[in-house]
Amino acid sequence: MAGTIEVLVPGGQANPGPPLGPELGPTPVDVQAVVQQINDETAAFDGTEVPVTVDYDEDGSFEIDVGVPPTAALVKDEAGFDTGSGEPQEDFVADLSVDQVKTIAEQKHPDLLAYDTINAAKEVVGTCASMGVTIEGDDAREFKEKVDSGEYDDVLAEA
């Protein structure tokens, strides 16, 4: 490849302006084609910052690799809040359902060390604990204990 560009773009909302335009302008690629492909591949992350890598050749061909947003960004997007709690064990900012935790775990699973959805969910729950987010009305640590005991195996087990 002739070069690589790494940028963060809002899912499904990339445009030829910054940060993409100035980076792609001097390259031989069709900027509009790159933007369209990025938007197609990131549509599921609607507005959430997504890491994207564009590898391009001198002949104008390109490949796009879309990463997964940080777990905290997925939690904020799913729960609908802007910032985590300054005192996450005392001041809670949101509550997620077990289904929302599963959704985040499935989105993030390729980037996690977990080998299944249940363990990926535990990693998501750890992020929730540090942000002041409860799950099913329980403190994230209490919820994790319930997951460890098998209480949510039927919901979190992979289909």
Side-chain angles (χ1 to χ4, degrees):
M1 291 282 167
T4 300
I5 296 169
E6 295 178 357
V7 292
L8 278 174
V9 298
Q13 300 172 12
N15 63 58
L20 279 173
E23 293 284 337
L24 292 172
T27 69
V29 300
D30 177 353
V31 175
Q32 204 56 40
V34 172
V35 168
Q36 184 60 50
Q37 186 172 337
I38 288 172
N39 285 337
D40 291 346
E41 292 186 26
T42 62
F45 297 117
D46 189 31
T48 303
E49 293 285 305
V50 181
V52 174
T53 303
V54 180
D55 292 315
Y56 61 89
D57 264 329
E58 290 147 7
D59 65 0
S61 63
F62 62 90
E63 291 181 17
I64 294 174
D65 181 42
V66 176
V68 178
T71 305
L74 294 173
V75 169
K76 286 193 282 188
D77 186 50
E78 191 70 31
F81 65 94
D82 292 326
T83 58
S85 172
E87 297 180 24
Q89 303 313 312
E90 298 172 19
D91 183 24
F92 300 105
V93 295
D95 185 62
L96 291 175
S97 70
V98 67
D99 290 327
Q100 288 174 303
V101 170
K102 182 179 181 182
T103 298
I104 296 166
E106 289 171 342
Q107 288 176 325
K108 193 68 181 168
H109 191 217
D111 284 358
L112 298 176
L113 299 174
Y115 55 89
D116 63 14
T117 305
I118 292 173
N119 286 295
K122 289 181 194 178
E123 290 191 43
V124 171
V125 168
T127 300
C128 290
S130 67
M131 296 177 74
V133 175
T134 57
I135 299 107
E136 298 285 332
D138 289 328
D139 178 278
R141 289 182 176 95
E142 293 169 14
F143 180 81
K144 183 188 173 297
E145 289 174 10
K146 290 180 180 182
V147 171
D148 286 341
S149 72
E151 189 172 326
Y152 292 100
D153 283 0
D154 58 332
V155 179
L156 295 175
E158 296 180 53

